[in-house]
Amino acid sequence: MKAQELLYQGKAKSAYLTDDPDLLVLAFRDDTSAFDGEIIEQLDAKGAINNQFNAFIMGALEAAGIETHFEKQLSKTDSLVKRLDMIPVECVVRNKAAGSLVRRLGVEEGLSFDPPLFELFLKNDALHDPMITEHHVAAFGWATDEEMAEMHRLSLAVNAVLAPLFADAGLTLVDFKLEFGRFHGRIVLGDEFSPDGCRLWDTATGEKKDKDRFRQKLGGVMEAYREVAERLGVVIDA
Ligand code: TMP
């Protein structure tokens, strides 16, 4: 399947149309943004690492019965995916407190949630992805109540699959963000799962192994991403 016209250019990925109206080519770029696109830098081989890491994670989710848009890896940086009608709502699952939650509610970083905490944000950089509730989703018609319930169910199902997978690799899945879309009437997981959109802490040392290294200027960003992949047994061709 060959990439044709550019359909959409996001902050870290570009989506291209293909011959098949149901399929897109997703090209992972090295661009790395923080603070809703305020800071953008190129990190060497990030596109390749995230594409290949995402392929592994999406495969693990499919194997657990969670439908994703992922079809197949096409190259180091590109994957073939289903074309979804994206819902502009970011679903966040938190096993521990970090990031905006700590700032918003003044709780201590690392506070555990059992069961996990589920939050919603509007995907809108200009508004800095404001927090919303399912009532906003219904009032503005971003998704039906049934679709929202399915996104909630699937988000927790993703956590139930991935938290143990990372735990086995000595990594704590602190939180993550998912985006869903519609595909022929079904709610399907889209976007990506990579250290760009989740928090991973070394369980033994607490060291951050995700995009917080970039946001907080801690250095060693790509080294951390590579280490995460390696610990999960993902061989990166970059
Ligand atoms: P937050 O602590 O900034 O609300 O983010 C929670 C998790 O979701 C964290 O792993 C980062 C991820 N996330 C994104 O990747 N993009 C976003 O736009 C938002 C709001 C969160």
Side-chain angles (χ1 to χ4, degrees):
M1 193 63 60
K2 278 186 62 182
Q4 296 174 352
E5 190 191 333
L6 178 69
L7 172 69
Y8 174 80
Q9 173 137 338
K11 292 195 294 281
K13 300 186 292 300
S14 304
Y16 296 88
L17 297 170
T18 68
D19 294 337
D20 185 334
D22 271 343
L23 296 173
L24 298 177
V25 170
L26 208 54
F28 288 69
R29 309 195 312 269
D30 289 347
D31 295 323
T32 313
S33 81
F35 311 115
D36 306 312
E38 242 172 65
I39 300 178
I40 298 181
E41 280 177 30
Q42 277 71 45
L43 295 182
D44 191 37
K46 194 196 68 144
I49 293 168
N50 279 3
N51 179 46
Q52 292 167 51
F53 186 76
N54 177 65
F56 171 81
I57 295 289
M58 293 283 168
L61 294 176
E62 290 278 0
I66 297 169
E67 189 180 5
T68 82
H69 69 159
F70 182 79
E71 290 284 316
K72 66 172 179 179
Q73 195 183 309
L74 296 173
S75 69
K76 289 179 186 179
T77 55
D78 296 3
S79 286
L80 189 67
V81 300
K82 295 185 185 82
R83 180 179 183 175
L84 308 185
D85 169 24
M86 293 305 291
I87 294 168
V89 171
E90 304 189 334
C91 296
V92 168
V93 177
R94 300 181 190 271
N95 293 304
K96 286 181 179 289
S100 76
L101 182 80
V102 168
R103 292 194 295 277
R104 219 178 320 121
L105 297 181
V107 293
E108 198 179 327
E109 187 178 72
L111 177 75
S112 290
F113 298 112
D114 188 15
L117 178 61
F118 181 67
E119 291 184 335
L120 300 172
F121 297 87
L122 179 64
K123 190 174 170 69
N124 186 320
D125 279 339
L127 297 178
H128 299 290
D129 293 350
M131 193 182 183
I132 55 171
T133 72
E134 60 194 342
H135 303 293
H136 297 83
V137 175
F140 289 94
W142 292 314
T144 66
D145 289 350
E146 293 72 30
E147 289 171 333
M148 189 61 253
E150 182 67 351
M151 293 194 285
H152 182 205
R153 186 187 74 79
L154 289 168
S155 297
L156 296 180
V158 167
N159 189 51
V161 174
L162 297 186
L165 193 113
F166 284 111
D168 286 347
L171 295 163
T172 300
L173 180 58
V174 172
D175 59 29
F176 58 86
K177 182 264 296 178
L178 303 176
E179 295 179 31
F180 295 91
R182 305 175 185 93
F183 188 75
H184 296 280
R186 305 191 298 277
I187 292 293
V188 172
L189 179 62
D191 191 45
E192 69 180 274
F193 194 104
S194 74
D196 267 8
C198 70
R199 289 193 173 93
L200 295 164
W201 295 346
D202 185 302
T203 308
T205 66
E207 205 181 351
K208 295 178 183 183
K209 303 285 182 189
D210 54 65
K211 198 162 117 178
D212 269 350
R213 300 202 69 83
F214 177 73
R215 296 188 191 98
Q216 300 173 7
K217 300 188 176 4
L218 299 174
V221 185
M222 283 303 98
E223 288 79 359
Y225 283 35
R226 282 181 190 272
E227 185 190 327
V228 167
E230 196 175 302
R231 286 211 207 176
L232 288 176
V234 186
V235 179
I236 301 290
D237 177 13

